[in-house]
Amino acid sequence: MSMKLPFFKSKQTDTEINDTTIENIPNHVAIIMDGNGRWAKKRGLPRIAGHKEGMEVVRNIVKASTKFNVQILTLYAFSTENWKRPKSEIEFLMKLPKEFLHIYLPDLIENNVRIDTIGDFDALPEHTKQAIQYAKDKTKDNNGLLLNFALNYGSRFEIIRAIKKIMIDIDGSKISVDTLDEKTFSQYLYTQGLCDPDLLIRTSGEQRLSNFLLWQLAYTEFWFTDVLWPDFNEAIYQQALLDYQQRKRRYGGI
Ligand code: FPP
Protein backbone atom coordinates (compact mmCIF):
# COMPACT_ATOMS: atom_id res chain seq x y z
CA MET A 1 0.00 0.00 0.00
CA SER A 2 1.48 3.31 -0.97
CA MET A 3 0.22 6.27 0.97
CA LYS A 4 1.30 9.41 2.70
CA LEU A 5 0.13 10.10 6.19
CA PRO A 6 1.04 12.81 8.63
CA PHE A 7 3.03 11.10 11.34
CA PHE A 8 1.29 11.79 14.61
CA LYS A 9 3.07 13.33 17.55
CA SER A 10 4.09 10.75 20.08
CA LYS A 11 3.92 11.45 23.78
CA GLN A 12 6.52 8.79 24.51
CA THR A 13 9.41 10.04 22.44
CA ASP A 14 11.05 13.10 21.01
CA THR A 15 12.67 11.34 18.06
CA GLU A 16 12.96 13.27 14.81
CA ILE A 17 10.47 11.19 12.91
CA ASN A 18 7.45 12.69 14.66
CA ASP A 19 7.17 15.70 12.41
CA THR A 20 7.79 13.96 9.16
CA THR A 21 5.52 11.96 6.88
CA ILE A 22 5.32 8.26 6.42
CA GLU A 23 4.81 6.26 3.27
CA ASN A 24 4.29 2.60 2.49
CA ILE A 25 2.68 1.55 5.71
CA PRO A 26 2.63 -2.24 5.96
CA ASN A 27 -0.92 -3.52 5.52
CA HIS A 28 -0.32 -6.45 7.81
CA VAL A 29 2.06 -6.49 10.79
CA ALA A 30 2.70 -9.73 12.69
CA ILE A 31 4.42 -9.69 16.08
CA ILE A 32 6.09 -12.39 18.16
CA MET A 33 5.71 -10.83 21.61
CA ASP A 34 8.69 -12.38 23.37
CA GLY A 35 10.52 -11.64 26.61
CA ASN A 36 7.78 -11.35 29.22
CA GLY A 37 9.41 -13.92 31.48
CA ARG A 38 12.85 -12.28 31.32
CA TRP A 39 11.34 -8.87 31.96
CA ALA A 40 9.73 -10.19 35.15
CA LYS A 41 12.86 -12.07 36.24
CA LYS A 42 14.99 -8.93 35.93
CA ARG A 43 12.65 -7.30 38.44
CA GLY A 44 12.46 -10.26 40.80
CA LEU A 45 8.80 -10.78 39.87
CA PRO A 46 6.96 -13.96 38.92
CA ARG A 47 6.76 -14.68 35.17
CA ILE A 48 3.06 -13.91 35.11
CA ALA A 49 3.82 -10.30 36.05
CA GLY A 50 5.61 -10.04 32.70
CA HIS A 51 2.58 -11.39 30.87
CA LYS A 52 0.33 -8.92 32.68
CA GLU A 53 2.56 -6.03 31.68
CA GLY A 54 2.68 -7.49 28.16
CA MET A 55 -1.08 -7.28 28.01
CA GLU A 56 -0.94 -3.52 28.61
CA VAL A 57 1.58 -3.20 25.80
CA VAL A 58 -0.85 -5.03 23.50
CA ARG A 59 -3.36 -2.27 24.09
CA ASN A 60 -0.79 0.45 23.29
CA ILE A 61 0.34 -1.25 20.10
CA VAL A 62 -3.24 -1.79 18.95
CA LYS A 63 -3.84 1.92 19.45
CA ALA A 64 -0.68 2.83 17.58
CA SER A 65 -1.57 0.45 14.73
CA THR A 66 -4.86 2.26 14.25
CA LYS A 67 -3.08 5.60 14.19
CA PHE A 68 -0.49 4.35 11.71
CA ASN A 69 -3.25 2.97 9.49
CA VAL A 70 -2.03 -0.61 9.69
CA GLN A 71 -4.92 -2.79 8.49
CA ILE A 72 -4.15 -6.09 10.21
CA LEU A 73 -2.21 -6.78 13.42
CA THR A 74 -1.53 -10.46 14.12
CA LEU A 75 -0.18 -11.14 17.61
CA TYR A 76 1.35 -14.46 18.67
CA ALA A 77 -0.29 -14.81 22.09
CA PHE A 78 -0.08 -18.58 22.70
CA SER A 79 1.54 -21.29 20.61
CA THR A 80 0.68 -24.98 20.37
CA GLU A 81 4.06 -25.54 22.12
CA ASN A 82 3.19 -23.24 25.04
CA TRP A 83 1.12 -26.05 26.61
CA LYS A 84 4.51 -27.40 27.83
CA ARG A 85 4.72 -24.54 30.37
CA PRO A 86 3.82 -24.94 34.06
CA LYS A 87 0.09 -25.36 34.63
CA SER A 88 -0.18 -22.18 36.67
CA GLU A 89 1.39 -20.09 33.88
CA ILE A 90 -0.90 -21.65 31.26
CA GLU A 91 -3.92 -20.92 33.42
CA PHE A 92 -2.84 -17.31 33.76
CA LEU A 93 -2.25 -16.93 30.03
CA MET A 94 -5.68 -18.42 29.30
CA LYS A 95 -7.31 -15.84 31.58
CA LEU A 96 -5.57 -12.90 29.90
CA PRO A 97 -7.85 -12.59 26.85
CA LYS A 98 -10.87 -12.34 29.13
CA GLU A 99 -9.19 -9.77 31.32
CA PHE A 100 -7.97 -7.80 28.33
CA LEU A 101 -11.42 -7.75 26.75
CA HIS A 102 -13.13 -6.95 30.03
CA ILE A 103 -11.03 -3.81 30.30
CA TYR A 104 -10.61 -2.79 26.68
CA LEU A 105 -13.49 -4.14 24.59
CA PRO A 106 -15.61 -0.97 24.84
CA ASP A 107 -12.61 1.08 23.74
CA LEU A 108 -11.82 -1.34 20.90
CA ILE A 109 -15.43 -1.16 19.71
CA GLU A 110 -15.32 2.61 19.82
CA ASN A 111 -12.17 2.53 17.72
CA ASN A 112 -13.81 0.30 15.09
CA VAL A 113 -11.42 -2.61 15.78
CA ARG A 114 -12.48 -6.08 14.66
CA ILE A 115 -11.29 -9.01 16.75
CA ASP A 116 -10.52 -12.43 15.36
CA THR A 117 -8.24 -15.38 16.09
CA ILE A 118 -6.17 -17.93 14.25
CA GLY A 119 -5.30 -21.30 15.76
CA ASP A 120 -7.09 -24.29 17.23
CA PHE A 121 -9.86 -22.33 18.93
CA ASP A 122 -11.96 -25.34 19.94
CA ALA A 123 -9.20 -26.71 22.16
CA LEU A 124 -9.10 -23.56 24.34
CA PRO A 125 -10.71 -23.56 27.79
CA GLU A 126 -14.42 -22.75 27.76
CA HIS A 127 -14.04 -19.44 29.62
CA THR A 128 -11.39 -18.25 27.17
CA LYS A 129 -13.48 -19.23 24.17
CA GLN A 130 -16.57 -17.54 25.57
CA ALA A 131 -14.84 -14.22 26.18
CA ILE A 132 -13.25 -14.19 22.74
CA GLN A 133 -16.35 -15.36 20.92
CA TYR A 134 -18.30 -12.56 22.58
CA ALA A 135 -15.73 -10.03 21.36
CA LYS A 136 -15.68 -11.53 17.86
CA ASP A 137 -19.47 -11.27 17.64
CA LYS A 138 -19.55 -7.74 19.02
CA THR A 139 -16.92 -6.48 16.58
CA LYS A 140 -17.71 -8.54 13.48
CA ASP A 141 -19.11 -5.58 11.53
CA ASN A 142 -16.27 -3.21 12.39
CA ASN A 143 -14.08 -2.28 9.45
CA GLY A 144 -11.10 -0.65 11.14
CA LEU A 145 -8.01 -2.52 12.31
CA LEU A 146 -8.28 -6.31 12.35
CA LEU A 147 -6.79 -7.44 15.67
CA ASN A 148 -5.94 -11.04 15.05
CA PHE A 149 -4.78 -13.11 18.04
CA ALA A 150 -2.81 -16.25 17.26
CA LEU A 151 -4.03 -18.41 20.13
CA ASN A 152 -3.18 -22.07 20.40
CA TYR A 153 -1.54 -21.51 17.04
CA GLY A 154 1.16 -23.64 15.43
CA SER A 155 2.09 -23.29 11.79
CA ARG A 156 2.93 -26.95 11.19
CA PHE A 157 -0.39 -27.98 12.72
CA GLU A 158 -2.09 -25.42 10.46
CA ILE A 159 -0.40 -26.80 7.34
CA ILE A 160 -1.25 -30.42 8.17
CA ARG A 161 -4.82 -29.36 8.91
CA ALA A 162 -4.98 -27.64 5.52
CA ILE A 163 -3.64 -30.74 3.75
CA LYS A 164 -6.27 -32.91 5.46
CA LYS A 165 -9.05 -30.52 4.42
CA ILE A 166 -7.73 -30.40 0.86
CA MET A 167 -7.64 -34.20 0.67
CA ILE A 168 -11.24 -34.35 1.83
CA ASP A 169 -12.23 -31.78 -0.80
CA ILE A 170 -10.34 -33.64 -3.52
CA ASP A 171 -12.13 -36.80 -2.43
CA GLY A 172 -15.45 -34.98 -2.63
CA SER A 173 -14.51 -33.58 -6.06
CA LYS A 174 -14.75 -30.00 -4.76
CA ILE A 175 -11.25 -29.30 -6.06
CA SER A 176 -8.86 -31.24 -8.25
CA VAL A 177 -5.18 -32.06 -7.84
CA ASP A 178 -4.49 -30.39 -11.18
CA THR A 179 -5.90 -27.03 -10.17
CA LEU A 180 -4.45 -26.99 -6.65
CA ASP A 181 -2.10 -24.01 -6.51
CA GLU A 182 -0.66 -21.61 -3.91
CA LYS A 183 -3.73 -19.41 -3.95
CA THR A 184 -6.08 -22.34 -3.34
CA PHE A 185 -3.78 -23.76 -0.65
CA SER A 186 -3.82 -20.41 1.18
CA GLN A 187 -7.59 -20.59 1.42
CA TYR A 188 -7.27 -23.69 3.60
CA LEU A 189 -5.13 -21.93 6.20
CA TYR A 190 -6.44 -20.10 9.28
CA THR A 191 -5.43 -16.88 7.54
CA GLN A 192 -7.85 -17.55 4.69
CA GLY A 193 -8.81 -14.30 2.99
CA LEU A 194 -6.06 -12.25 4.67
CA CYS A 195 -3.06 -10.79 2.87
CA ASP A 196 0.29 -12.17 4.07
CA PRO A 197 2.16 -10.12 6.69
CA ASP A 198 4.34 -7.40 5.20
CA LEU A 199 6.36 -6.97 8.37
CA LEU A 200 7.25 -9.41 11.15
CA ILE A 201 8.52 -8.01 14.43
CA ARG A 202 10.08 -10.18 17.14
CA THR A 203 11.11 -8.73 20.46
CA SER A 204 13.62 -9.93 23.07
CA GLY A 205 16.64 -10.59 20.85
CA GLU A 206 15.63 -14.04 19.65
CA GLN A 207 15.84 -14.46 15.89
CA ARG A 208 13.65 -17.40 15.00
CA LEU A 209 10.09 -18.04 13.84
CA SER A 210 9.01 -20.50 16.55
CA ASN A 211 6.42 -22.18 14.31
CA PHE A 212 4.70 -18.89 13.45
CA LEU A 213 3.08 -18.34 10.02
CA LEU A 214 5.69 -20.41 8.14
CA TRP A 215 3.74 -20.33 4.87
CA GLN A 216 2.55 -16.75 5.18
CA LEU A 217 5.97 -15.24 5.96
CA ALA A 218 7.58 -16.39 2.70
CA TYR A 219 8.15 -12.81 1.48
CA THR A 220 7.73 -10.86 4.71
CA GLU A 221 10.31 -8.36 5.93
CA PHE A 222 11.72 -9.30 9.36
CA TRP A 223 12.60 -6.81 12.09
CA PHE A 224 14.21 -7.86 15.36
CA THR A 225 14.82 -5.89 18.52
CA ASP A 226 16.51 -6.74 21.82
CA VAL A 227 13.76 -4.89 23.67
CA LEU A 228 11.62 -7.21 25.80
CA TRP A 229 7.91 -7.17 24.95
CA PRO A 230 6.80 -5.39 28.16
CA ASP A 231 9.22 -2.56 27.27
CA PHE A 232 8.05 -2.34 23.66
CA ASN A 233 6.26 0.90 22.88
CA GLU A 234 4.94 3.16 20.17
CA ALA A 235 8.31 4.81 19.54
CA ILE A 236 10.04 1.46 18.93
CA TYR A 237 7.14 0.41 16.74
CA GLN A 238 7.67 3.58 14.70
CA GLN A 239 11.31 2.62 14.23
CA ALA A 240 10.26 -0.77 12.89
CA LEU A 241 7.87 0.87 10.44
CA LEU A 242 10.45 3.39 9.30
CA ASP A 243 13.00 0.61 8.81
CA TYR A 244 10.43 -1.33 6.82
CA GLN A 245 10.00 1.68 4.54
CA GLN A 246 13.69 1.58 3.63
CA ARG A 247 13.47 -2.01 2.45
CA LYS A 248 13.27 -2.85 -1.25
CA ARG A 249 10.86 -5.72 -1.65
CA ARG A 250 11.59 -7.65 -4.81
CA TYR A 251 9.67 -10.90 -4.33
CA GLY A 252 12.38 -12.79 -6.18
CA GLY A 253 12.51 -10.28 -9.03
CA ILE A 254 15.15 -7.62 -9.65
C1 FPP B 1 6.52 -15.04 25.26
O1 FPP B 1 7.34 -14.55 26.28
C2 FPP B 1 5.17 -14.59 25.52
C3 FPP B 1 4.08 -15.40 25.61
C4 FPP B 1 4.14 -16.86 25.43
C5 FPP B 1 2.77 -14.84 25.93
C6 FPP B 1 2.47 -13.58 25.23
C7 FPP B 1 1.28 -12.96 25.82
C8 FPP B 1 1.14 -11.65 26.00
C9 FPP B 1 2.13 -10.65 25.62
C10 FPP B 1 -0.12 -11.10 26.58
C11 FPP B 1 -1.19 -11.37 25.58
C12 FPP B 1 -2.33 -10.55 25.81
C13 FPP B 1 -3.55 -10.87 25.37
C14 FPP B 1 -4.57 -9.85 25.43
C15 FPP B 1 -3.92 -12.21 24.88
P1 FPP B 1 8.05 -15.58 27.27
O2 FPP B 1 7.13 -15.85 28.38
O3 FPP B 1 8.47 -16.79 26.49
O4 FPP B 1 9.28 -14.76 27.73
P2 FPP B 1 10.74 -15.33 28.05
O5 FPP B 1 11.29 -15.84 26.74
O6 FPP B 1 11.47 -14.13 28.54
O7 FPP B 1 10.59 -16.40 29.09
Side-chain angles (χ1 to χ4, degrees), residues 185-214:
F185 189 86
S186 298
Q187 296 312 306
Y188 285 85
L189 297 171
Y190 288 123
T191 47
Q192 167 192 22
L194 302 183
C195 61
D196 289 338
D198 301 292
L199 174 65
L200 171 84
I201 296 172
R202 182 169 187 150
T203 57
S204 92
E206 309 295 352
Q207 301 194 0
R208 56 178 171 260
L209 290 182
S210 302
N211 203 14
F212 190 44
L213 301 172
L214 302 180

mmCIF file of all heavy atoms in Angstrom, residues 185-214:
data_model
loop_
_atom_site.group_PDB
_atom_site.id
_atom_site.type_symbol
_atom_site.label_atom_id
_atom_site.label_comp_id
_atom_site.label_asym_id
_atom_site.label_seq_id
_atom_site.Cartn_x
_atom_site.Cartn_y
_atom_site.Cartn_z
ATOM 1 N N PHE A 185 -4.330 -23.243 -1.916
ATOM 2 C CA PHE A 185 -3.785 -23.758 -0.653
ATOM 3 C C PHE A 185 -3.978 -22.738 0.472
ATOM 4 O O PHE A 185 -4.402 -23.091 1.583
ATOM 5 C CB PHE A 185 -2.295 -24.110 -0.807
ATOM 6 C CG PHE A 185 -1.741 -24.833 0.378
ATOM 7 C CD1 PHE A 185 -1.844 -26.216 0.488
ATOM 8 C CD2 PHE A 185 -1.126 -24.136 1.416
ATOM 9 C CE1 PHE A 185 -1.357 -26.886 1.603
ATOM 10 C CE2 PHE A 185 -0.635 -24.792 2.539
ATOM 11 C CZ PHE A 185 -0.748 -26.177 2.632
ATOM 12 N N SER A 186 -3.696 -21.476 0.168
ATOM 13 C CA SER A 186 -3.815 -20.414 1.182
ATOM 14 C C SER A 186 -5.220 -20.334 1.768
ATOM 15 O O SER A 186 -5.395 -19.959 2.929
ATOM 16 C CB SER A 186 -3.482 -19.053 0.572
ATOM 17 O OG SER A 186 -2.169 -19.046 0.115
ATOM 18 N N GLN A 187 -6.202 -20.684 0.959
ATOM 19 C CA GLN A 187 -7.589 -20.587 1.416
ATOM 20 C C GLN A 187 -7.933 -21.670 2.443
ATOM 21 O O GLN A 187 -8.993 -21.626 3.062
ATOM 22 C CB GLN A 187 -8.564 -20.668 0.228
ATOM 23 C CG GLN A 187 -8.423 -19.501 -0.744
ATOM 24 C CD GLN A 187 -8.389 -18.146 -0.047
ATOM 25 O OE1 GLN A 187 -9.264 -17.810 0.728
ATOM 26 N NE2 GLN A 187 -7.324 -17.383 -0.296
ATOM 27 N N TYR A 188 -7.050 -22.632 2.611
ATOM 28 C CA TYR A 188 -7.272 -23.687 3.604
ATOM 29 C C TYR A 188 -6.537 -23.408 4.919
ATOM 30 O O TYR A 188 -6.586 -24.200 5.843
ATOM 31 C CB TYR A 188 -6.839 -25.043 3.028
ATOM 32 C CG TYR A 188 -7.843 -25.581 2.018
ATOM 33 C CD1 TYR A 188 -7.795 -25.181 0.685
ATOM 34 C CD2 TYR A 188 -8.850 -26.461 2.402
ATOM 35 C CE1 TYR A 188 -8.717 -25.654 -0.241
ATOM 36 C CE2 TYR A 188 -9.776 -26.939 1.490
ATOM 37 C CZ TYR A 188 -9.703 -26.532 0.165
ATOM 38 O OH TYR A 188 -10.631 -27.001 -0.736
ATOM 39 N N LEU A 189 -5.847 -22.287 4.962
ATOM 40 C CA LEU A 189 -5.129 -21.932 6.198
ATOM 41 C C LEU A 189 -6.030 -21.078 7.092
ATOM 42 O O LEU A 189 -7.039 -20.537 6.632
ATOM 43 C CB LEU A 189 -3.851 -21.161 5.844
ATOM 44 C CG LEU A 189 -2.825 -21.943 5.016
ATOM 45 C CD1 LEU A 189 -1.703 -21.029 4.544
ATOM 46 C CD2 LEU A 189 -2.253 -23.121 5.809
ATOM 47 N N TYR A 190 -5.656 -20.954 8.359
ATOM 48 C CA TYR A 190 -6.436 -20.102 9.275
ATOM 49 C C TYR A 190 -6.526 -18.679 8.748
ATOM 50 O O TYR A 190 -7.469 -17.953 9.054
ATOM 51 C CB TYR A 190 -5.780 -20.061 10.654
ATOM 52 C CG TYR A 190 -5.884 -21.332 11.466
ATOM 53 C CD1 TYR A 190 -4.741 -21.977 11.923
ATOM 54 C CD2 TYR A 190 -7.127 -21.871 11.803
ATOM 55 C CE1 TYR A 190 -4.824 -23.118 12.688
ATOM 56 C CE2 TYR A 190 -7.220 -23.020 12.571
ATOM 57 C CZ TYR A 190 -6.059 -23.638 13.011
ATOM 58 O OH TYR A 190 -6.142 -24.778 13.769
ATOM 59 N N THR A 191 -5.512 -18.257 8.014
ATOM 60 C CA THR A 191 -5.430 -16.877 7.540
ATOM 61 C C THR A 191 -6.193 -16.669 6.233
ATOM 62 O O THR A 191 -5.996 -15.632 5.563
ATOM 63 C CB THR A 191 -3.951 -16.492 7.343
ATOM 64 O OG1 THR A 191 -3.308 -17.557 6.630
ATOM 65 C CG2 THR A 191 -3.253 -16.262 8.656
ATOM 66 N N GLN A 192 -7.020 -17.618 5.897
ATOM 67 C CA GLN A 192 -7.855 -17.551 4.690
ATOM 68 C C GLN A 192 -8.432 -16.140 4.489
ATOM 69 O O GLN A 192 -9.021 -15.572 5.417
ATOM 70 C CB GLN A 192 -9.002 -18.550 4.890
ATOM 71 C CG GLN A 192 -10.138 -18.442 3.937
ATOM 72 C CD GLN A 192 -11.320 -19.282 4.414
ATOM 73 O OE1 GLN A 192 -11.442 -19.600 5.595
ATOM 74 N NE2 GLN A 192 -12.183 -19.649 3.496
ATOM 75 N N GLY A 193 -8.223 -15.616 3.311
ATOM 76 C CA GLY A 193 -8.806 -14.303 2.988
ATOM 77 C C GLY A 193 -7.950 -13.117 3.424
ATOM 78 O O GLY A 193 -8.236 -11.989 3.053
ATOM 79 N N LEU A 194 -6.914 -13.362 4.215
ATOM 80 C CA LEU A 194 -6.058 -12.254 4.675
ATOM 81 C C LEU A 194 -4.817 -12.148 3.787
ATOM 82 O O LEU A 194 -4.288 -13.170 3.340
ATOM 83 C CB LEU A 194 -5.591 -12.466 6.113
ATOM 84 C CG LEU A 194 -6.656 -12.629 7.188
ATOM 85 C CD1 LEU A 194 -5.993 -12.748 8.556
ATOM 86 C CD2 LEU A 194 -7.626 -11.456 7.156
ATOM 87 N N CYS A 195 -4.337 -10.923 3.584
ATOM 88 C CA CYS A 195 -3.060 -10.788 2.874
ATOM 89 C C CYS A 195 -1.951 -11.274 3.810
ATOM 90 O O CYS A 195 -2.108 -11.267 5.035
ATOM 91 C CB CYS A 195 -2.820 -9.344 2.457
ATOM 92 S SG CYS A 195 -2.734 -8.202 3.843
ATOM 93 N N ASP A 196 -0.845 -11.716 3.247
ATOM 94 C CA ASP A 196 0.290 -12.171 4.065
ATOM 95 C C ASP A 196 0.884 -10.981 4.825
ATOM 96 O O ASP A 196 0.793 -9.848 4.357
ATOM 97 C CB ASP A 196 1.376 -12.783 3.169
ATOM 98 C CG ASP A 196 0.953 -14.134 2.598
ATOM 99 O OD1 ASP A 196 0.061 -14.776 3.175
ATOM 100 O OD2 ASP A 196 1.536 -14.532 1.569
ATOM 101 N N PRO A 197 1.519 -11.235 5.972
ATOM 102 C CA PRO A 197 2.163 -10.119 6.688
ATOM 103 C C PRO A 197 3.226 -9.446 5.814
ATOM 104 O O PRO A 197 3.965 -10.122 5.099
ATOM 105 C CB PRO A 197 2.812 -10.806 7.895
ATOM 106 C CG PRO A 197 2.027 -12.045 8.102
ATOM 107 C CD PRO A 197 1.628 -12.496 6.723
ATOM 108 N N ASP A 198 3.280 -8.135 5.890
ATOM 109 C CA ASP A 198 4.337 -7.396 5.198
ATOM 110 C C ASP A 198 5.554 -7.268 6.100
ATOM 111 O O ASP A 198 6.686 -7.233 5.641
ATOM 112 C CB ASP A 198 3.831 -5.987 4.845
ATOM 113 C CG ASP A 198 2.613 -6.054 3.962
ATOM 114 O OD1 ASP A 198 2.759 -6.478 2.810
ATOM 115 O OD2 ASP A 198 1.502 -5.746 4.441
ATOM 116 N N LEU A 199 5.284 -7.188 7.394
ATOM 117 C CA LEU A 199 6.357 -6.971 8.366
ATOM 118 C C LEU A 199 6.163 -7.898 9.560
ATOM 119 O O LEU A 199 5.051 -7.990 10.107
ATOM 120 C CB LEU A 199 6.314 -5.514 8.844
ATOM 121 C CG LEU A 199 7.260 -5.116 9.976
ATOM 122 C CD1 LEU A 199 8.722 -5.218 9.525
ATOM 123 C CD2 LEU A 199 6.963 -3.695 10.460
ATOM 124 N N LEU A 200 7.244 -8.589 9.928
ATOM 125 C CA LEU A 200 7.248 -9.407 11.152
ATOM 126 C C LEU A 200 8.191 -8.770 12.154
ATOM 127 O O LEU A 200 9.350 -8.495 11.835
ATOM 128 C CB LEU A 200 7.732 -10.837 10.877
ATOM 129 C CG LEU A 200 7.949 -11.631 12.180
ATOM 130 C CD1 LEU A 200 6.644 -12.240 12.672
ATOM 131 C CD2 LEU A 200 9.009 -12.706 12.026
ATOM 132 N N ILE A 201 7.684 -8.550 13.350
ATOM 133 C CA ILE A 201 8.519 -8.012 14.432
ATOM 134 C C ILE A 201 8.668 -9.102 15.484
ATOM 135 O O ILE A 201 7.682 -9.766 15.831
ATOM 136 C CB ILE A 201 7.845 -6.768 15.059
ATOM 137 C CG1 ILE A 201 7.728 -5.635 14.026
ATOM 138 C CG2 ILE A 201 8.606 -6.305 16.307
ATOM 139 C CD1 ILE A 201 6.904 -4.446 14.499
ATOM 140 N N ARG A 202 9.895 -9.304 15.972
ATOM 141 C CA ARG A 202 10.082 -10.179 17.138
ATOM 142 C C ARG A 202 10.895 -9.426 18.173
ATOM 143 O O ARG A 202 11.980 -8.910 17.866
ATOM 144 C CB ARG A 202 10.771 -11.494 16.783
ATOM 145 C CG ARG A 202 10.888 -12.400 18.022
ATOM 146 C CD ARG A 202 11.311 -13.812 17.743
ATOM 147 N NE ARG A 202 11.207 -14.590 18.978
ATOM 148 C CZ ARG A 202 10.942 -15.884 19.061
ATOM 149 N NH1 ARG A 202 10.761 -16.577 17.971
ATOM 150 N NH2 ARG A 202 10.873 -16.489 20.234
ATOM 151 N N THR A 203 10.403 -9.405 19.371
ATOM 152 C CA THR A 203 11.109 -8.727 20.457
ATOM 153 C C THR A 203 12.007 -9.716 21.209
ATOM 154 O O THR A 203 11.958 -10.918 20.977
ATOM 155 C CB THR A 203 10.104 -8.095 21.441
ATOM 156 O OG1 THR A 203 9.235 -9.119 21.942
ATOM 157 C CG2 THR A 203 9.283 -7.014 20.776
ATOM 158 N N SER A 204 12.814 -9.196 22.074
ATOM 159 C CA SER A 204 13.619 -9.931 23.073
ATOM 160 C C SER A 204 14.933 -10.498 22.561
ATOM 161 O O SER A 204 15.603 -11.231 23.274
ATOM 162 C CB SER A 204 12.817 -11.044 23.748
ATOM 163 O OG SER A 204 12.974 -12.279 23.071
ATOM 164 N N GLY A 205 15.322 -10.176 21.335
ATOM 165 C CA GLY A 205 16.644 -10.586 20.848
ATOM 166 C C GLY A 205 16.692 -11.952 20.195
ATOM 167 O O GLY A 205 17.689 -12.299 19.571
ATOM 168 N N GLU A 206 15.639 -12.724 20.317
ATOM 169 C CA GLU A 206 15.633 -14.043 19.650
ATOM 170 C C GLU A 206 15.355 -13.825 18.167
ATOM 171 O O GLU A 206 14.539 -12.984 17.797
ATOM 172 C CB GLU A 206 14.530 -14.945 20.233
ATOM 173 C CG GLU A 206 14.514 -15.069 21.738
ATOM 174 C CD GLU A 206 15.742 -15.764 22.313
ATOM 175 O OE1 GLU A 206 16.558 -16.287 21.534
ATOM 176 O OE2 GLU A 206 15.897 -15.761 23.539
ATOM 177 N N GLN A 207 16.045 -14.617 17.327
ATOM 178 C CA GLN A 207 15.837 -14.458 15.891
ATOM 179 C C GLN A 207 15.418 -15.783 15.280
ATOM 180 O O GLN A 207 16.198 -16.454 14.612
ATOM 181 C CB GLN A 207 17.100 -13.910 15.233
ATOM 182 C CG GLN A 207 17.488 -12.570 15.837
ATOM 183 C CD GLN A 207 18.505 -11.805 15.027
ATOM 184 O OE1 GLN A 207 18.961 -12.245 13.982
ATOM 185 N NE2 GLN A 207 18.881 -10.634 15.510
ATOM 186 N N ARG A 208 14.204 -16.175 15.576
ATOM 187 C CA ARG A 208 13.651 -17.401 15.004
ATOM 188 C C ARG A 208 12.134 -17.241 14.875
ATOM 189 O O ARG A 208 11.561 -16.318 15.444
ATOM 190 C CB ARG A 208 14.013 -18.616 15.860
ATOM 191 C CG ARG A 208 13.588 -18.490 17.299
ATOM 192 C CD ARG A 208 13.916 -19.739 18.116
ATOM 193 N NE ARG A 208 13.674 -19.474 19.523
ATOM 194 C CZ ARG A 208 14.622 -19.178 20.423
ATOM 195 N NH1 ARG A 208 15.884 -19.147 20.063
ATOM 196 N NH2 ARG A 208 14.304 -18.930 21.675
ATOM 197 N N LEU A 209 11.529 -18.171 14.128
ATOM 198 C CA LEU A 209 10.094 -18.038 13.842
ATOM 199 C C LEU A 209 9.201 -18.788 14.827
ATOM 200 O O LEU A 209 8.008 -18.504 14.926
ATOM 201 C CB LEU A 209 9.783 -18.513 12.422
ATOM 202 C CG LEU A 209 10.331 -17.602 11.313
ATOM 203 C CD1 LEU A 209 9.924 -18.134 9.948
ATOM 204 C CD2 LEU A 209 9.815 -16.176 11.487
ATOM 205 N N SER A 210 9.772 -19.769 15.533
ATOM 206 C CA SER A 210 9.010 -20.499 16.545
ATOM 207 C C SER A 210 7.638 -20.965 16.036
ATOM 208 O O SER A 210 6.613 -20.769 16.689
ATOM 209 C CB SER A 210 8.835 -19.641 17.805
ATOM 210 O OG SER A 210 10.085 -19.269 18.313
ATOM 211 N N ASN A 211 7.642 -21.562 14.844
ATOM 212 C CA ASN A 211 6.419 -22.183 14.310
ATOM 213 C C ASN A 211 5.301 -21.164 14.073
ATOM 214 O O ASN A 211 4.129 -21.476 14.239
ATOM 215 C CB ASN A 211 5.956 -23.291 15.278
ATOM 216 C CG ASN A 211 5.095 -24.339 14.602
ATOM 217 O OD1 ASN A 211 5.027 -24.418 13.374
ATOM 218 N ND2 ASN A 211 4.405 -25.138 15.404
ATOM 219 N N PHE A 212 5.681 -19.956 13.682
ATOM 220 C CA PHE A 212 4.701 -18.886 13.454
ATOM 221 C C PHE A 212 4.578 -18.599 11.956
ATOM 222 O O PHE A 212 5.562 -18.235 11.311
ATOM 223 C CB PHE A 212 5.159 -17.628 14.206
ATOM 224 C CG PHE A 212 4.142 -16.511 14.278
ATOM 225 C CD1 PHE A 212 2.811 -16.760 14.567
ATOM 226 C CD2 PHE A 212 4.532 -15.190 14.084
ATOM 227 C CE1 PHE A 212 1.883 -15.724 14.665
ATOM 228 C CE2 PHE A 212 3.611 -14.141 14.181
ATOM 229 C CZ PHE A 212 2.282 -14.421 14.471
ATOM 230 N N LEU A 213 3.425 -18.790 11.388
ATOM 231 C CA LEU A 213 3.085 -18.345 10.019
ATOM 232 C C LEU A 213 4.133 -18.742 8.973
ATOM 233 O O LEU A 213 4.527 -17.916 8.142
ATOM 234 C CB LEU A 213 2.876 -16.823 10.023
ATOM 235 C CG LEU A 213 1.781 -16.284 10.952
ATOM 236 C CD1 LEU A 213 1.815 -14.754 11.012
ATOM 237 C CD2 LEU A 213 0.392 -16.759 10.520
ATOM 238 N N LEU A 214 4.586 -19.993 9.015
ATOM 239 C CA LEU A 214 5.692 -20.413 8.141
ATOM 240 C C LEU A 214 5.360 -20.223 6.660
ATOM 241 O O LEU A 214 6.222 -19.820 5.873
ATOM 242 C CB LEU A 214 6.052 -21.871 8.416
ATOM 243 C CG LEU A 214 6.467 -22.194 9.852
ATOM 244 C CD1 LEU A 214 6.808 -23.667 9.996
ATOM 245 C CD2 LEU A 214 7.640 -21.326 10.301
#
